[in-house]
Amino acid sequence: MLNIGDLYLNGTDLSFLPITKLSSGIASGDVKPTDLLEACINRVEADDSRINAFITRTFDFARERAALLEEEARKGNLRGPLHGIPVAIKDLFDLDGFPMTAGSRILKDNVSTGTAESVRRLIKSGAVIVGKTNLQEFARGGTGANSFFGPTRNPWNLRCTPGGSSSGSAAAVASGMAVASLGSDTGGSVRLPASYCNLVGIRSTFGRVSRAGAVPLGLSFDNVGPIARTVEDAAILLQAMAGPDPADPTTGSKPPPDMSAMLHRGVEGLTFGVPTNHFWPGLEPEVEEIVRQAISEFERMGAEIREIEIPWAKLGRIAYAAVVGPESADYHRAFLRDRRGEYVSPGADFFEQSLFIPGWRYVQAQRARTLFIRQAAEVFQVVDAILTPTSAIAPPSIEDCLDGMKVWGAISDGTAAFSTIGNPCLQVPCGFTKAGLPVGLQIAGKWGEEALILGAGASFEKLRHLWSKHPSMEDKVQDQKRFSAASATTEGDDDLVEISAEEINNIANGFGHSIDPIRLGELAIGVSRLMHQLEELDHLDISGCERAETINLLELKAEDMSGT
């Protein structure tokens, strides 16, 4: 039986324990929700001045909820495994009566008048919201370096990024300021920070969790997901949030499956694909070796490992830009017109450049996504899931991330490749570099089969127990020559399709967008570069492909799509 006194005597901080252990302690009475909350609050007050994980602390609200839940527990009225568990939420989710800033000066005075559906479900399940976490401004980018509230730092090395855009959500859990957290994942923003902070994160099948009450980035890609210490914890959080919501039609009408159904199955008899392309760019051989060693463990556990090709991987990033770009530009158009100078992130350049993406390019990219889904369905006919690095590099320095787009490709190419097809992907810790930085393994599954990849992740987790390691909280100098941070946004400049500043200005005037003359030339170069990248979609045969947003991915079967 879990005894709170024994935990303290053994030097174990409650806030570093998984939900499963704490839940049993709360049920038995050995752990009080108020004590657990105070353990997290103590961590916030002691360490957040260095980490900068939180934008808003909701301590009074949390204490009130913890006291209520403690009384419920005393009477034997438990809401489930999340009863009394402190959870932090990314500050792009609404929480009634509290600020919601999206990490931007533009929304710094905004106060929510409602609560996001995913957050409401967590609270109903017994979660205690301890605070709202820092993020890359408006969730655009794989780091947390570019926030109006300053960069979030990685507890494993304070000079490094914790990943993003859900940077504070991961850093808060890694440092014991919360037991779990909520993030959003458009191109990798749950999986990447989970990887960089030695945590578990899952991007579920597109439509599994409601996005209602969350600031959008790209509605065709946006996904709400948990960050936690263990795979079972992630399954518990996902289960609490999943299911239909009339406010978000992508969630469908059918109840979610049992996310924990295969946690104890093992991997024997399953076939896992390992890509021969794209995911092994050779940027950091040490990271590659750690991931390959992890993959070999699956074979030793009884799974079959098969080499496969991921034909859509590179172009998936192009489709991402062509779809997320216009969708984000739609949300940001008024801000770009009236408050352009208030952005702190280079993501604003992407939003503004995307105003000039033609509508037919957007439709072309949505049809290309359907082609990619068909290609993926062919792959999933021969494998049960796919194993890759979550990121090709270990956490880079904050300095390297200040130009957020500079390292975007190096950080997130592995996650964005799957975002474009909307399938579930699980990040699990798989080791550490010699410098003590976390490395993650990505397990990508078939649409609707979260339980299988959660079970695979749980099997690997039992071998390593990496969740029990605590971060050093040290400030250590990083080798600045670890990898080339050059982004694909600089490729092919010699072949740019030139769009003149005058043309950009004329187009902008046509839809009422004013541009500072000082920025006009730079914007024209950016738009030219973006249009040049999107030309790669012209080489695809998408005849007979409908737009991807017409496909119900929650009910998609690989055998129904392959060969079509």
Side-chain angles (χ1 to χ4, degrees):
M1 182 179 292
L2 184 65
N3 183 280
I4 189 169
D6 289 344
L7 286 170
Y8 283 124
L9 287 173
N10 292 332
T12 301
D13 192 320
L14 285 177
S15 63
F16 282 101
L17 291 174
I19 292 171
T20 49
K21 292 185 180 294
L22 292 167
S23 179
S24 62
I26 290 171
S28 68
D30 290 328
V31 174
K32 295 181 178 180
T34 53
D35 288 337
L36 176 55
L37 174 62
E38 293 305 322
C40 291
I41 289 175
N42 289 340
R43 285 283 176 183
V44 175
E45 292 178 337
D47 296 328
D48 200 39
S49 60
R50 292 186 291 164
I51 294 175
N52 198 30
F54 286 91
I55 291 175
T56 299
R57 301 177 182 184
T58 58
F59 293 169
D60 289 344
F61 173 64
R63 284 172 169 138
E64 182 179 322
R65 293 293 301 172
L68 172 66
L69 292 162
E70 189 167 306
E71 180 62 17
E72 289 182 5
R74 189 184 67 79
K75 295 177 179 179
N77 301 324
L78 295 170
R79 304 188 184 199
L82 290 178
H83 191 104
I85 301 299
V87 175
I89 62 172
K90 186 176 184 177
D91 195 27
L92 56 63
F93 295 102
D94 281 327
L95 181 63
D96 191 18
F98 290 95
M100 193 289 296
T101 71
S104 179
R105 176 191 288 112
I106 292 170
L107 296 179
K108 68 180 179 65
D109 298 320
N110 176 66
V111 177
S112 297
T113 57
T115 296
E117 180 63 15
S118 55
V119 177
R120 188 195 68 80
R121 293 185 186 189
L122 289 177
I123 293 172
K124 183 179 179 181
S125 299
V128 176
I129 307 303
V130 70
K132 305 193 72 182
T133 55
N134 204 355
L135 66 152
Q136 181 85 354
E137 184 180 40
F138 285 114
R140 169 59 184 171
T143 78
N146 304 108
S147 167
F148 171 63
F149 300 92
T152 301
R153 299 186 178 276
N154 193 322
W156 292 93
N157 185 342
L158 298 179
R159 295 204 180 193
C160 293
T161 176
S165 61
S166 309
S167 52
S169 294
V173 178
S175 57
M177 299 181 196
V179 174
S181 64
L182 185 60
S184 65
D185 187 312
T186 303
S189 291
V190 162
R191 291 163 287 166
L192 290 166
S195 173
Y196 283 180
C197 290
N198 191 50
L199 298 169
V200 174
I202 184 168
R203 175 192 169 93
S204 55
T205 305
F206 181 77
R208 181 67 74 201
V209 179
S210 173
R211 288 92 47 86
V215 172
L217 177 57
L219 285 174
S220 293
F221 283 68
D222 289 347
N223 190 286
V224 175
I227 296 174
R229 298 201 187 287
T230 69
V231 173
E232 188 169 2
D233 285 2
I236 290 169
L237 290 155
L238 181 58
Q239 193 77 57
M241 295 185 292
D245 174 21
D248 183 352
T250 67
T251 57
S253 60
K254 294 185 177 181
D258 181 359
M259 302 298 171
S260 300
M262 300 179 71
L263 287 178
H264 307 292
R265 180 203 181 280
V267 298
E268 189 171 359
L270 297 177
T271 301
F272 291 90
V274 178
T276 57
N277 65 313
H278 184 74
F279 296 90
W280 313 97
L283 296 177
E284 287 195 356
E286 184 184 12
V287 169
E288 177 175 329
E289 178 57 27
I290 291 169
V291 176
R292 289 195 182 277
Q293 288 177 3
I295 291 172
S296 68
E297 296 284 3
F298 282 79
E299 197 165 27
R300 283 192 282 272
M301 288 189 289
E304 178 186 349
I305 302 299
R306 180 177 300 184
E307 289 190 341
I308 56 171
E309 181 84 6
I310 306 294
W312 72 90
K314 180 182 177 183
L315 288 178
R317 188 180 67 190
I318 305 299
Y320 172 101
V323 172
V324 174
E327 290 179 349
S328 62
D330 175 59
Y331 175 85
H332 286 273
R333 180 179 171 186
F335 295 151
L336 291 168
R337 181 188 64 230
D338 303 328
R339 307 178 69 176
R340 178 64 173 83
E342 296 182 46
Y343 287 89
V344 300
S345 167
D349 296 334
F350 174 73
F351 303 146
E352 188 170 35
Q353 291 164 17
S354 297
L355 289 168
F356 300 89
I357 295 177
W360 66 267
R361 277 288 187 205
Y362 174 84
V363 173
Q364 179 191 44
Q366 289 284 26
R367 295 177 65 198
R369 290 183 61 219
T370 297
L371 173 63
F372 303 155
I373 290 169
R374 291 178 181 177
Q375 292 173 335
E378 293 284 353
V379 173
F380 283 125
Q381 287 290 285
V382 296
V383 301
D384 295 295
I386 300 168
L387 304 177
T388 77
T390 303
S391 178
I393 61 173
S397 69
I398 294 289
E399 183 181 358
D400 271 339
C401 296
L402 288 175
D403 178 354
M405 301 303 103
K406 177 182 177 183
V407 295
W408 191 83
I411 290 174
S412 60
D413 271 0
T415 54
F418 292 111
S419 293
T420 194
I421 62 170
N423 63 316
C425 297
L426 177 70
Q427 140 62 32
V428 292
C430 69
F432 292 87
T433 66
K434 293 177 181 177
L437 297 174
V439 176
L441 172 72
Q442 181 172 232
I443 307 174
K446 301 175 185 177
W447 304 273
E449 295 193 3
E450 288 90 348
L452 187 145
I453 61 174
L454 286 162
S459 296
F460 177 76
E461 183 179 77
K462 290 176 184 176
L463 295 177
R464 298 290 181 92
H465 296 287
L466 295 173
W467 67 264
S468 62
K469 295 183 178 295
H470 294 187
S472 62
M473 297 288 290
E474 294 178 354
D475 186 338
K476 296 179 286 189
V477 176
Q478 284 294 292
D479 181 0
Q480 296 301 310
K481 299 180 180 179
R482 281 171 39 198
F483 64 94
S484 172
S487 166
T489 58
T490 61
E491 293 175 1
D493 283 3
D494 293 340
D495 301 319
L496 285 180
V497 176
E498 291 290 349
I499 301 177
S500 70
E502 182 180 3
E503 289 174 305
I504 290 294
N505 201 41
N506 288 338
I507 296 171
N509 288 336
F511 58 83
H513 181 65
S514 60
I515 305 169
D516 185 337
I518 296 176
R519 290 190 301 102
L520 188 57
E522 182 180 343
L523 177 60
I525 293 172
V527 173
S528 294
R529 182 180 293 127
L530 178 60
M531 295 306 177
H532 176 64
Q533 292 173 3
L534 300 188
E535 287 180 346
E536 293 193 45
L537 298 176
D538 294 338
H539 305 297
L540 296 172
D541 181 4
I542 56 175
S543 57
C545 291
E546 69 271 34
R547 291 166 59 166
E549 70 266 36
T550 67
I551 302 172
N552 183 349
L553 295 177
L554 290 172
E555 299 180 23
L556 180 67
K557 302 298 181 185
E559 55 269 24
D560 296 336
M561 287 295 291
S562 61
T564 59

